[in-house]
Amino acid sequence: MPKVPIMQGGMGVGISLSKLASAVANAGGIGIISGTGISVDEMRSHIRRAKDLVKDAGYIGVNVLFAMNDFAEKMKAALEEKVDFIISGAGISRDMYSWGKQAGIPVISIVSSAKLARISERLGAAAVVVEGFEAGGHLGTDRPMFEILPEIVEAVTIPVIAAGGILTGADIAKAIAMGASGVQMGTRFVASHECDAPHAFKQKYVNAEKEDLVLVKTTVGLQGRAIRNNFTNLISGTNKLKIAKCHDCLKNCSYRFCTLDSLLTSVDGDVDNGLVFAGARVDEIKEILPVQKIIDNLTLEYLESTN
Ligand SMILES: Cc1cc2nc3c(=O)[nH]c(=O)nc-3n(C[C@H](O)[C@H](O)[C@H](O)COP(=O)(O)O)c2cc1C
């Protein structure tokens, strides 16, 4: 078990790699490397680097997206690298649980409904992450996390991890009081010293106001919340953008623009012309902090709110 019930959410493209994941694991939480938008070899080397950097008994998992064409290849490579567990988002398949079982590695599914949580449990998921509308990244629901959480706690017997809009220790206490075994947090960890994103990306978070947040529909076919910029203005209509070179990365793509390129652009530091995903409470983040400080603050707030 980790020292603190906090899992850092996998964040593609290039946002949660070995640096962030190992920092969270070393601070007593669970670090997740996102396998999305990097090559299989890059993913393998980030897993190895993170394992080297993690002291004591820190946990490192890998997030892979079912919606991507390289899902099976990435998942199998992560299993070969003997990560502590796999988290799959944007869909589930029967196969992935049996691959995990064969390798002796738990597979966790990200779900947004009791129905999908039940199916995941039946197929062999070790736990489920319940992601609500407040989350960063692609969204599977328009319902708030605290509304869905009790339904899922009721529906399954495996551990339930709450994700979306968790920003303070009081939020963690609330989720645990409602039956969650822990929380998954993304947005707060982006604005950390160790996050693998460039400084401009983190600064965009610190500068964001509530009214800067927009929902965009990407070519994955799902909505995501982004910080308004030239790029979100460009895709706000129905016009098709020129795709420089298709990476053929998605199982189903609308081809209206290239989601992968737009995420690579922002992670290269051009946060005006690329897609900057963020959670609904990003406007409450006022400074970029070391991961250890973020976890210490959360622990203090948690203790204050439970005493
Ligand atoms: C910039 C960003 C990128 C994300 N990318 C992914 C991803 O590639 N795969 C995934 O399953 N979740 C992704 N997420 C979701 C997080 O893993 C996490 O569940 C979510 O951010 C939790 O909500 P919070 O940001 O309000 O803490 C992303 C979130 C952010 C902020």
Side-chain angles (χ1 to χ4, degrees), residues 82-229:
K82 305 218 177 311
V83 292
D84 293 310
F85 44 85
I86 304 276
I87 305 204
S88 93
I92 56 168
S93 77
R94 190 176 290 273
D95 294 345
M96 65 191 209
Y97 304 102
S98 47
W99 296 336
K101 201 155 273 168
Q102 276 163 24
I105 294 175
V107 177
I108 301 174
S109 311
I110 302 175
V111 299
S112 294
S113 70
K115 186 175 169 206
L116 207 55
R118 238 181 261 118
I119 296 173
S120 302
E121 178 173 43
R122 189 158 14 93
L123 292 177
V128 284
V129 173
V130 180
E131 226 181 46
F133 179 66
E134 302 88 343
H138 284 107
L139 302 170
T141 182
D142 53 10
R143 296 179 65 205
M145 185 273 286
F146 281 119
E147 197 179 293
I148 318 170
L149 178 63
E151 298 172 5
I152 300 200
V153 167
E154 178 73 31
V156 297
T157 57
I158 50 179
V160 176
I161 299 155
I166 301 279
L167 209 59
T168 68
D171 302 328
I172 301 177
K174 181 173 174 188
I176 288 179
M178 288 171 74
S181 300
V183 297
Q184 170 165 291
M185 298 173 61
T187 301
R188 178 57 268 193
F189 286 119
V190 172
S192 70
H193 289 177
E194 296 90 340
C195 173
D196 296 270
H199 183 75
F201 196 100
K202 302 174 191 180
Q203 199 54 46
K204 193 91 182 155
Y205 267 43
V206 172
N207 296 345
E209 307 280 349
K210 199 119 244 117
E211 52 275 20
D212 297 328
L213 300 177
V214 286
L215 286 174
V216 296
K217 187 165 179 191
T218 78
T219 60
V220 178
L222 295 171
Q223 278 198 321
R225 188 178 297 93
I227 302 179
R228 193 195 307 274
N229 61 6

